[in-house]
Amino acid sequence: IGFVRGALPKVAAHTPDDLPGARLFRVTGHAYLNTDLTDATRSVQVGFKSSPFGCLSHGYEANNSFILWAYGQRLLVRSGYRDIHGSEHHNRWMHSTRSVNNITVNGSGQVPYTASARGDIVAFETTPSMDIVVGEAGSAYRAPVSREQRSRGIRGPRMLDRYTRAILFVKPGLVIVYDRLVAREPSSFDYWLHAVNEFAIDDQHGVRVHAGEVRCDINFLAPGDLTFQQTNQYDPNPRPRIKLREWHLTATTPGRKRAVEFVTLYRPRRAQDKVVAGARLTKVEGGYALRAELEDGHVVALLPTSDTRELRSHGIETRGAIVIERRRIDGSVVQTLRARN
């Protein structure tokens, strides 16, 4: 191989100005949303996985998980350290849904070590101004069974009828994550986030994380009455020679319900950038209406809770599809995107 490569003419480098900032790799179930491909220190990147290959081998992270990097810094990360293949930490933490930015149900996550815990990216839209990616991973959640049972092909009963996660990226400073979960019995739900540094928590509308000189303000608009915990311990920890510690935050829903929706806003920015924080979420017939302020205007989004009911607000309407509209300060429309949820 080295001889063949050496015999080939040199490949001339060129700036990837002709490539889109966002790309869906549909076969493997990965999407990457960027604002600048030429310089990571000027870019905000969202990575998203919902893969038909499941949660197997090096693709261990759970479906519908995401990462958030901004301006050369890792804000929300996949956590853990593979101290050695097959260790307790590797098997029970890194292969667990708890280790990534995702959601667990009744304390359980997606089935690990299997290609049968599948996800699917069901919608993807990209423009210079906004991107949308939607994944479905409800079938990946099953009641826990022992590893020996899994090795014999025994699967627990399905826990969810749906887990649809939509990521709406309003470039460069707003990421909206909308989750719809429907369980087969009343359940509790834990929303997991992971960071290199400790989270600051005022309340569910005032969560902050930083990395270097980059900040991210996090607002859990729905559901209400979330309770928060965080720790820098893994369960289980890696071997003592590994000194890595990351911070793990959980936001837990009150009581037990069959259905829940999370609407969470992330605002990555440089420390010196202007803070933009205004947002209002309204429950309306058929779903939610969201208005979020931007430095150069605002966005409005319709987030359906039904696949069939009509949803109207802010002068736009939809039936079963997410709609997001970016508007200038004077109210004129910059861009409208729709994606089936």
Side-chain angles (χ1 to χ4, degrees), residues 196 198 230-234 237 244-248:
V196 174
E198 185 175 5
Q230 71 170 318
T231 180
N232 66 350
Q233 300 296 303
Y234 305 93
N237 282 319
L244 173 72
R245 284 294 179 268
E246 295 160 316
W247 289 87
H248 321 291

Side-chain angles (χ1 to χ4, degrees), residues 97-98 102-110 136-138 141-142 158-165 179-193 204 220 222-229 249-264:
T97 306
R98 299 171 300 153
N102 214 308
I103 296 173
T104 55
V105 182
N106 295 330
S108 296
Q110 299 172 28
E136 174 56 47
Y141 287 78
R142 292 183 177 270
R158 184 166 167 168
M159 299 173 66
L160 296 179
D161 285 325
R162 79 178 297 159
Y163 168 25
T164 311
R165 167 164 278 183
D179 299 301
R180 292 175 63 188
L181 298 101
V182 179
R184 294 197 166 179
E185 60 183 36
S187 301
S188 63
F189 303 87
D190 290 317
Y191 192 113
W192 291 79
L193 294 176
Q204 72 175 67
F220 289 84
D225 298 321
L226 294 170
T227 58
F228 289 84
Q229 293 185 334
L249 178 144
T250 53
T252 303
T253 56
R256 303 176 76 85
K257 299 179 180 179
R258 282 200 61 234
V260 68
E261 297 91 33
F262 288 91
V263 182
T264 313

Side-chain angles (χ1 to χ4, degrees), residues 210-227:
H210 76 278
E213 293 301 310
V214 180
R215 309 287 185 264
C216 185
D217 303 307
I218 305 170
N219 186 346
F220 289 84
L221 290 171
D225 298 321
L226 294 170
T227 58

